[in-house]
């Protein structure tokens, strides 16, 4: 078996990040290969999560690892939020698709999510802390939503300008 390829990550304000992902129809070899590539890509970029949307695949697949040791992989296919705590907290977020930008976003402090795992088995995950934040951030990606859309239009505009400029500079180099 070849090592899974590291995939290019779409960068905000790429319009493809606003695509709504479709449900996975069957957890087959193609999906398992996508998952392996997504983990390789996430670990390579030192991220704690990655949604398929970010690698330009518009199907409902998420990989997560919030562990310090980078050895607690979690796969969420066709995830549904069954319950979200009414209590919310504002925490600093970043995104591999919005490099170098960090800002506060309000999220439910706890969630219960139903999803299929990498073997296609249904699982229910109860999460709080960083895992709860990450699951909500990744499920937003599958709906075409990037965390900066929670910020003021002024901040969004500044972030767009900054990233477009940075992208132009790396293309010139
Ligand atoms: O690596 C990531 N870190 C992070 C930090 C705070 C809140 C959310 C995240 S998710 C992010 C990886 C990513 O962009 N996933 O979509
Ligand atoms: Ni992200």
């Amino acid at each position: 078996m070849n090592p899974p390829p590291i995939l290019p990550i779409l960068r905000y304000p790429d319009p493809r990040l606003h695509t709504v992902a479709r449900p996975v129809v069957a957890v087959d070899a193609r999906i398992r290969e996508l998952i392996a590539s997504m983990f390789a890509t996430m670990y390579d970029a030192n991220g704690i999560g990655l949604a398929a949307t970010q690698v330009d695949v518009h199907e409902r697949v998420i990989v997560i690892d919030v562990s310090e040791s980078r050895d607690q992989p979690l796969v969420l296919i066709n995830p549904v939020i069954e319950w979200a705590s009414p209590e919310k907290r504002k925490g600093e977020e970043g995104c591999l698709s919005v490099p170098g930008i960090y800002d506060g976003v309000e999220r439910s402090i706890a969630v219960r999510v139903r999803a299929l795992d990498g073997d296609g088995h249904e699982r229910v995950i109860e999460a709080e802390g960083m895992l709860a934040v990450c699951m909500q951030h990744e499920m937003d990606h599958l709906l075409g939503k990037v965390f900066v859309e929670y910020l003021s239009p002024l901040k969004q505009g500044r972030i767009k300008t900054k990233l477009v400029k940075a992208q132009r500079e790396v293309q010139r180099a």
Side-chain angles (χ1 to χ4, degrees):
M1 261 281 265
N2 292 322
I6 291 166
L7 306 169
I9 298 175
L10 299 179
R11 298 274 181 102
Y12 183 82
D14 192 309
R16 291 172 290 183
L17 285 169
H18 304 302
T19 311
V20 178
R22 294 173 304 273
V24 168
V25 179
V27 182
D28 54 14
R30 179 183 66 88
I31 293 296
R32 280 191 292 272
E33 278 166 33
L34 170 64
I35 290 165
S37 293
M38 286 174 62
F39 274 119
T41 304
M42 181 192 78
Y43 287 126
D44 178 70
N46 293 315
I48 61 169
L50 188 72
T53 309
Q54 292 175 277
V55 294
D56 203 21
V57 175
H58 302 287
E59 297 181 66
R60 294 183 58 79
V61 178
I62 289 167
V63 298
I64 291 177
D65 189 341
V66 296
S67 73
E68 205 77 55
S69 45
R70 319 296 283 144
D71 59 357
Q72 305 282 313
L74 190 62
V75 176
L76 303 178
I77 298 169
N78 299 344
V80 177
I81 298 195
E82 279 203 335
W83 175 82
S85 66
E87 189 184 345
K88 295 185 176 193
R89 191 177 300 154
K90 194 174 205 167
E92 194 89 333
E93 294 197 14
C95 181
L96 295 173
S97 294
V98 196
I101 306 291
Y102 304 88
D103 213 327
V105 178
E106 278 216 346
R107 303 279 189 191
S108 290
I109 63 168
V111 291
R112 183 166 65 240
V113 172
R114 185 180 294 267
L116 301 181
D117 66 16
D119 297 320
H121 299 130
E122 191 167 70
R123 291 188 46 184
V124 176
I125 300 157
E126 293 191 3
E128 54 177 28
M130 205 59 222
L131 180 57
V133 170
C134 188
M135 292 203 304
Q136 292 171 80
H137 174 113
E138 304 311 339
M139 288 179 71
D140 272 351
H141 275 304
L142 299 182
L143 296 173
K145 185 154 184 172
V146 180
F147 86 96
V148 299
E149 292 170 66
Y150 291 105
L151 308 178
S152 69
L154 177 66
K155 279 188 177 177
Q156 288 180 51
R158 285 177 177 158
I159 291 165
K160 259 179 216 164
T161 303
K162 185 172 172 178
L163 292 184
V164 167
K165 211 167 151 191
Q167 211 38 51
R168 269 206 301 267
E169 261 144 43
V170 293
Q171 259 152 14
R172 270 172 6 109

